[in-house]
Amino acid sequence: MAGRDWEMVGAPNARDLGGLVGVDGRRVRVGQLIRTPALGRLTDSDLPVLAKLGPACVLDLRDGSEIAVAPTDRLVGEPRVVHLPVHDPEHPVFTYVSAVLLGHDLDSYEELARQGTAGAMAEIYRWFVTGESARVNFGAAVRLAAAPDNLPLVYHCSAGKDRTGWLTVILLTALGVDEAAIRAEYLRNNELTGSLRAVIVEAMRRRNPELNVDAVLPVLEVRAEYLDAGYDEVRRVHGSFDGYLRDGLGLTEDVLTALRAHLLE
């Protein structure tokens, strides 16, 4: 049984990783690891929900260029805010997803459509494993989560599905959650954001009647093939996920032990 969803209108795919079964049958503690999209669209009624959660730390995986054009995160209390950007300007997917979410001009759209957006998304997940800022800052994010002063931890990117999704894969794997449960958690994004996707596609279609929906949906969804691309790259480069945690992300046994001590019941 997974943890509760923290239902917020402006963050439809926000959810608690608590309740998932990790090492030695110990469950992830409820209310300690919360994944969300960017918090700039929270409504006034969402703020008491966030206050009840009471994050000690909010981790933002967006680049400064993404943050600059987005609504400012709405926060309550005085959580520590940490920016660990996982971003590569060479991959237009990042810019494109942010632009779609914010209704901006979609400069990268044609280029992405040409290269096949599902393929571009899979390439991003491979980059998550090998990219410099990805390795450095995903590793830093795990160290952040392993420090009890940062719990409860809320973490997000723009849409809360790809960078946030891969960090979730890393955290849950390090906590000993099995791959089937991790995969199911990852894929939940689509059911939680179905109505939002429909609104975005309709708004884009109004602006561009010639819109190729097949080229848009891959960046608005999560797909098993994206996750597979990340897992395949882990195996190709590091042989195993343990190798990736150790050599790719630079996580010591002390960090992993602390992570489990503070986040498993």
Side-chain angles (χ1 to χ4, degrees):
M1 180 191 71
R4 59 165 293 172
D5 294 339
W6 292 84
E7 292 183 8
M8 293 185 276
V9 174
N13 55 342
R15 55 205 192 267
D16 189 340
L17 302 182
L20 292 166
V21 178
V23 172
D24 298 330
R26 296 161 62 197
R27 291 185 183 275
V28 179
R29 291 172 58 202
V30 172
Q32 298 302 301
L33 283 178
I34 313 293
R35 55 174 296 178
T36 72
L39 301 173
R41 294 185 181 278
L42 294 189
T43 65
D44 288 347
S45 64
D46 292 333
L47 296 180
V49 180
L50 188 61
K52 188 175 180 184
L53 174 60
C57 182
V58 174
L59 166 61
D60 190 339
L61 298 168
R62 294 175 297 173
D63 182 64
S65 62
E66 298 174 89
I67 294 170
V69 297
T72 302
D73 272 5
R74 299 191 71 186
L75 303 174
V76 289
E78 295 184 354
R80 178 185 178 204
V81 177
V82 177
H83 292 107
L84 294 173
V86 175
H87 184 271
D88 182 0
E90 297 304 309
H91 280 86
V93 171
F94 289 115
T95 310
Y96 181 70
V97 172
S98 293
V100 167
L101 291 171
L102 297 167
H104 292 169
D105 291 336
L106 307 175
D107 296 332
S108 314
Y109 168 74
E110 288 183 8
E111 181 184 346
L112 274 171
R114 275 199 302 275
Q115 63 178 286
T117 44
M121 292 300 294
E123 181 58 37
I124 279 285
Y125 278 70
R126 288 189 283 272
W127 179 84
F128 285 162
V129 178
T130 55
E132 178 71 13
S133 73
R135 290 191 306 103
V136 169
N137 286 334
F138 281 139
V142 177
R143 287 189 286 275
L144 202 70
D149 289 353
N150 294 320
L151 302 175
L153 175 67
V154 166
Y155 60 97
H156 71 76
C157 50
S158 288
K161 66 185 183 69
D162 299 309
R163 288 168 285 187
T164 299
W166 187 250
L167 177 55
T168 301
V169 170
I170 292 168
L171 288 167
L172 293 179
T173 303
L175 291 169
V177 177
D178 73 62
E179 189 177 314
I182 292 173
R183 186 174 290 269
E185 199 289 325
Y186 169 80
L187 291 171
R188 281 197 69 212
N189 180 84
N190 290 345
E191 67 184 77
L192 293 170
T193 57
S195 56
L196 176 62
R197 273 199 309 284
V199 167
I200 290 172
V201 168
E202 185 52 39
M204 292 178 73
R205 194 182 270 121
R206 279 200 301 274
R207 284 201 300 274
N208 176 10
E210 305 299 310
L211 180 74
N212 176 2
V213 175
D214 288 340
V216 173
L217 285 178
V219 298
L220 297 178
E221 298 172 343
V222 297
R223 296 184 177 182
E225 67 201 75
Y226 306 163
L227 196 54
D228 290 339
Y231 278 133
D232 288 347
E233 192 73 349
V234 163
R235 284 188 289 269
R236 185 184 74 80
V237 178
H238 297 290
S240 68
F241 216 98
D242 284 346
Y244 169 56
L245 294 175
R246 183 183 63 244
D247 303 325
L249 301 182
L251 299 172
T252 64
E253 199 53 47
D254 285 350
V255 168
L256 296 174
T257 299
L259 186 79
R260 293 164 189 153
H262 299 307
L263 285 167
L264 293 174
E265 290 177 348

